Amino acid sequence: MSRRLLVTGGAGFIGTNFVHHWCQVYPDDRVVVLDALTYAGNRLNLALVEGRANFRFVHGDICDRPIIDELLSTENIDTIAHFAAESHVDRSILGPAAFVQTNVVGTFTLLEAFRQHWETKAKSSNYRFLHVSTDEVYGSLSPDDPAFSETTPYAPNSPYSASKAGSDHLVRAYYHTYKLPTIITNCSNNYGSYQFPEKLIPLMCINTLIGQSLPVYGDGQNVRDWLYVGDHCRALDVVINYGKPGETYNIGGNNEVKNIHLVELLCQMMDELATNLPVRPTKQLITFVKDRQGHDQRYAINANKIKTELGWMPSVTITEGLRLTVEWYLNHRDWWEPLLSEEYQAYYRKNYSVK
Ligand code: NAD
Ligand code: TYD
């Protein structure tokens, strides 16, 4: 079945990778991206697909109901892949208001618009609303706790995860109340190409390339489960096509790593792959800085449900994925250098001076 997709947040990190994936695998589908182009969105990310006849980019906000209504009806959208969000925990600590606005109010606005649109289409069973969410809604694990499953109770700890939890609850309620065909995915930390410099892996790659210190929060013992973004996109593809409305699927990489080990591995790869490093070996740039407020200790995902029910498994190992990512940042200086703007420097000073 060919689809007509609305991809919100398609100019951000995962959205961009997802649009590339979808246009390659389903070249006949219509893909419309709606993105507000906040600091994290970059229209140039979509240059590879911009020329296609069945691709359209719309600069707009998911809180803007008239724009969404107009797009859903004129484009005859049957599937929403909802990525748009404020996504960075540190920014949510510095300024939570935008997180509530985009993540909660924006998701609500999309749900209401999609519900009305779906009702005018006789509640077609082919419609889908995929809500891309995070494992952070489940809170923090101790070292010996079992990994998060789909039935783990929600216990968000940061303004970011609380706003994502709020949006998840609304999505769930729209299925339960109206039978709107929604699906939620909760995924672990992604990494790969086009990730904005403020997140751990791109930040460490870029700082080694410019000879700046590598700030590790607290004692560096916090654990994250890392998933290569291409694997995440494949999982979302499977969920859109074969997932069951009303269900939640956890997605993870089965790759738990302590932050300090990850940064050391990245330093080794940079030393091996980069020429002209300002400081070498790059490990000497590692600096322990004051911990993030309320820093979650550990995330881990039990992805058995998506494996047994939909046959998805991650395919890229952490070593392969990190190598691909390091190579991408090495070869795309023209992409990331302009992002180290005055606004970014101001955020950086503010974030790392309060730590
Ligand atoms: P990102 O910050 O890189 O991109 C977010 C995109 O949304 C940007 O293009 C931005 O311009 C756009 N946007 C923000 N506010 C908007 C608004 N009001 N209207 C329209 N567009 C708006 O984020 P990401 O890392 O690509 O994450 C995408 C989604 O995946 C988010 O919902 C996030 O919660 C979820 N997620 C991310 C990760 C991760 O590791 N990055 C893991 C699990 C889940
Ligand atoms: P991040 O990429 O911000 O993702 P999240 O907080 O959503 O998991 O951070 C990943 C981990 O790396 C997290 O434990 C915080 C830590 N971290 C640092 O130690 N230093 C940094 O400069 C950043 C950005 C993150």
Side-chain angles (χ1 to χ4, degrees):
M1 179 198 125
S2 89
R3 289 186 185 273
R4 302 184 65 86
L5 263 92
L6 176 66
V7 182
T8 71
F13 161 47
I14 307 174
T16 293
N17 281 280
F18 176 82
V19 168
H20 288 162
H21 168 93
W22 203 275
C23 290
Q24 196 183 347
V25 180
Y26 306 103
D28 297 330
D29 283 5
R30 176 78 170 157
V31 174
V32 179
V33 166
L34 175 67
D35 198 298
L37 297 179
T38 67
Y39 77 94
N42 185 350
R43 188 165 175 180
L44 293 174
N45 292 358
L46 299 167
L48 284 174
V49 293
E50 285 262 14
R52 289 175 174 246
N54 52 7
F55 176 83
R56 178 176 170 202
F57 179 86
V58 178
H59 184 190
D61 193 318
I62 55 165
C63 300
D64 187 339
R65 178 74 192 264
I67 285 192
I68 299 163
D69 284 342
E70 208 261 335
L71 275 180
L72 294 179
S73 72
T74 56
E75 292 287 351
N76 204 8
I77 298 295
D78 52 48
T79 303
I80 294 187
H82 175 35
F83 295 87
E86 288 292 338
S87 69
H88 189 37
V89 173
D90 290 322
R91 289 199 192 237
S92 83
I93 296 167
L94 295 173
F99 288 71
V100 175
Q101 181 63 19
T102 286
N103 300 1
V104 182
V105 178
T107 301
F108 167 70
T109 308
L110 271 180
L111 283 166
E112 264 299 274
F114 195 58
R115 175 170 78 92
Q116 202 171 65
H117 173 63
W118 171 69
E119 283 170 354
T120 66
K121 304 288 173 180
K123 302 187 178 178
S124 165
S125 60
N126 292 329
Y127 276 43
R128 288 291 178 275
F129 185 105
L130 169 70
H131 179 60
V132 181
S133 192
T134 165
D135 60 355
E136 303 192 24
V137 297
Y138 298 121
S140 181
L141 295 168
S142 298
D144 297 326
D145 285 341
F148 301 131
S149 76
E150 288 78 1
T151 54
T152 301
Y154 274 33
N157 289 320
S158 71
Y160 164 64
S161 54
S163 65
K164 290 296 290 188
S167 64
D168 291 11
H169 290 322
L170 283 167
V171 174
R172 181 192 139 89
Y174 269 66
Y175 175 76
H176 190 82
T177 307
Y178 306 110
K179 295 290 172 283
L180 187 72
T182 64
I183 305 182
I184 299 172
T185 54
N186 295 97
C187 185
S188 60
N189 287 60
N190 281 222
Y191 67 100
S193 53
Y194 297 100
Q195 189 166 28
F196 192 80
E198 68 192 358
K199 301 279 172 67
L200 179 72
I201 289 178
L203 185 133
M204 296 298 166
C205 289
I206 291 169
N207 282 13
T208 57
L209 293 173
I210 59 178
Q212 199 166 313
S213 68
L214 308 178
V216 174
Y217 296 164
D219 58 8
Q221 297 300 304
N222 303 68
V223 173
R224 295 293 181 266
D225 170 51
W226 293 96
L227 178 68
Y228 187 63
V229 66
D231 276 336
H232 188 191
C233 293
R234 280 195 309 106
L236 297 177
D237 178 337
V238 168
V239 169
I240 288 175
N241 282 311
Y242 306 106
K244 205 169 143 216
E247 293 291 316
T248 287
Y249 298 92
N250 280 0
I251 303 171
N254 210 10
N255 267 317
E256 282 186 60
V257 191
K258 286 184 178 164
N259 289 342
I260 186 63
H261 292 154
L262 185 80
V263 175
E264 285 170 353
L265 189 56
L266 277 171
C267 287
Q268 266 176 33
M269 286 189 183
M270 273 294 174
D271 291 345
E272 190 192 319
L273 297 170
T275 51
N276 297 331
L277 284 168
V279 177
R280 186 190 283 277
T282 50
K283 200 177 161 182
Q284 63 194 289
L285 290 169
I286 294 176
T287 314
F288 290 94
V289 299
K290 194 160 173 257
D291 210 353
R292 173 187 279 172
Q293 293 171 69
H295 195 172
D296 284 342
Q297 186 57 41
R298 173 179 166 239
Y299 303 142
I301 281 273
N302 174 342
N304 281 339
K305 179 174 171 181
I306 187 167
K307 181 178 168 193
T308 53
E309 293 186 12
L310 305 182
W312 174 88
M313 277 195 317
S315 67
V316 179
T317 66
I318 184 88
T319 324
E320 286 164 356
L322 282 181
R323 180 174 276 267
L324 288 172
T325 306
V326 166
E327 282 170 347
W328 193 85
Y329 282 90
L330 271 172
N331 295 328
H332 290 82
R333 197 177 260 270
D334 59 331
W335 181 83
W336 54 260
E337 247 173 8
L339 303 180
L340 310 183
S341 60
E342 190 37 52
E343 193 278 338
Y344 180 75
Q345 305 298 344
Y347 155 75
Y348 201 95
R349 283 191 296 275
K350 199 168 167 193
N351 187 53
Y352 292 91
S353 68
V354 296
K355 298 236 168 305

